[in-house]
């Protein structure tokens, strides 16, 4: 069964303290791995798509990487405005399977 | 570029009632998908609409139904509401029905069933 698992469920960081979020997947024939950011009361906002192992994408303090079985979202020197839930998703057919997300809190 | 808009933002219904949620897709997008997000969970696929027809359904019963209109806007209808239907309902549009382009989400409709 296609599955997406994210860890940790929650992460608290001091401002400037770098860390990584993990997304592991078991879908066969990966056609892309998608990262989203979701703020409370809002819909998910698209961040990155990664298509092949070894690929990296960057946006401000975020960098996403992809291996054959998992993806990492690295957050470098985070700021309080980076606090949000980060979701990863993989397509299978015409639907996306989402993980349950990592809730990130960055403390000033 | 106009993003995805959903209405209403909040809704309170009683068990057994029916509800209709509405979505306007992002300009240039021809595919609309609906997802249900329970508190603390990731979005779960309800169904997708492409060319005004249902084009795939997740593990949701037939009392969940939808429509897509010629302008690519969409409706989600839920009949015989149950308490477990309380959730955030997200509409997402995309360039393609094939899962090869990112979903662009609206801010959702928060449905509470009492």
């Amino acid at each position: 069964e296609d599955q997406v698992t994210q860890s940790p469920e929650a992460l608290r960081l001091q401002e400037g303290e770098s860390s990584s979020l993990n997304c592991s997947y078991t879908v066969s024939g990966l056609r892309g791995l998608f990262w989203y950011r979701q703020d409370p009361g809002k819909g998910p906002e698209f961040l990155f798509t990664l298509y092949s192992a070894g690929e990296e994408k960057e946006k401000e303090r975020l960098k996403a990487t992809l291996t054959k079985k998992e993806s990492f979202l690295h957050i470098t020197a985070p700021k309080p405005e980076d606090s949000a839930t980060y979701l990863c998703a993989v397509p299978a057919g015409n639907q996306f399977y989402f993980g349950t997300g990592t809730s990130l809190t960055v403390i000033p | 570029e106009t993003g995805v808009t959903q209405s209403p933002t909040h809704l309170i219904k009683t068990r057994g009632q029916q509800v209709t949620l509405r979505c306007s897709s992002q300009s240039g997008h021809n595919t609309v998908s609906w997802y249900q997000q329970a508190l603390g969970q990731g979005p779960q696929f309800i169904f997708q609409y492409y060319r005004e027809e249902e084009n795939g359904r997740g593990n949701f019963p037939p009392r969940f139904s939808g429509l897509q209109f010629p302008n690519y806007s969409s409706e989600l209808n839920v009949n015989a509401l149950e308490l477990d239907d309380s959730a955030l309902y997200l509409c997402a549009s995309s360039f393609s029905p094939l899962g090869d382009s990112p979903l662009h989400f609206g801010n959702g409709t928060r449905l509470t069933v009492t």
Side-chain angles (χ1 to χ4, degrees):
Chain A
E1 181 180 309
D2 298 328
Q3 208 164 24
V4 179
T5 304
Q6 292 189 245
S7 62
E9 289 185 8
L11 183 61
R12 288 172 63 89
L13 299 174
Q14 292 289 331
E15 184 172 0
E17 179 186 3
S18 301
S19 188
S20 295
L21 283 53
N22 177 264
C23 171
S24 61
Y25 58 90
T26 58
V27 64
S28 57
L30 185 70
R31 294 186 288 117
L33 186 138
F34 296 73
W35 281 98
Y36 291 84
R37 168 190 170 129
Q38 187 172 25
D39 293 299
K42 304 282 189 180
E45 175 190 351
F46 171 67
L47 292 173
F48 305 109
T49 308
L50 302 165
Y51 289 104
S52 57
E55 188 176 359
E56 298 183 353
K57 293 273 180 74
E58 287 190 64
K59 182 178 181 179
E60 295 182 359
R61 295 173 292 282
L62 301 176
K63 183 170 80 172
T65 62
L66 182 65
T67 71
K68 287 187 177 180
K69 291 186 177 181
E70 57 191 348
S71 177
F72 293 93
L73 185 64
H74 308 277
I75 302 175
T76 303
K79 297 183 177 182
E81 54 262 41
D82 295 322
S83 297
T85 295
Y86 291 85
L87 297 161
C88 67
V90 294
N94 57 2
Q95 67 172 282
F96 283 80
Y97 287 94
F98 283 82
T100 55
T102 293
S103 176
L104 173 66
T105 304
V106 182
I107 305 160
Chain B
E1 182 178 89
T2 306
V4 177
T5 58
Q6 292 187 243
S7 63
T9 55
H10 295 83
L11 205 51
I12 300 174
K13 289 287 190 178
T14 303
R15 189 172 52 183
Q17 286 187 317
Q18 177 266 341
V19 68
T20 297
L21 311 182
R22 294 180 173 83
C23 170
S24 294
S25 63
Q26 184 166 315
S27 58
H29 290 181
N30 60 14
T31 301
V32 174
S33 301
W34 286 90
Y35 285 78
Q36 181 195 66
Q37 187 176 27
L39 207 58
Q41 300 297 313
Q44 286 206 322
F45 177 70
I46 302 174
F47 44 54
Q48 180 193 84
Y49 274 83
Y50 175 65
R51 293 184 174 177
E52 301 177 47
E53 292 190 359
E54 186 178 296
N55 187 45
R57 170 181 282 263
N59 190 26
F60 282 82
R63 59 189 185 84
F64 286 77
S65 64
L67 287 171
Q68 186 184 30
F69 300 99
N71 65 355
Y72 306 127
S73 65
S74 178
E75 286 182 356
L76 165 65
N77 299 290
V78 187
N79 293 322
L81 283 167
E82 301 177 359
L83 297 179
D84 285 348
D85 295 334
S86 295
L88 181 67
Y89 288 85
L90 294 165
C91 171
S93 68
S94 56
F95 283 116
S96 162
L98 301 177
D100 54 0
S101 63
L103 299 173
H104 294 265
F105 286 91
N107 283 329
T109 294
R110 171 70 64 188
L111 174 64
T112 302
V113 183
T114 62

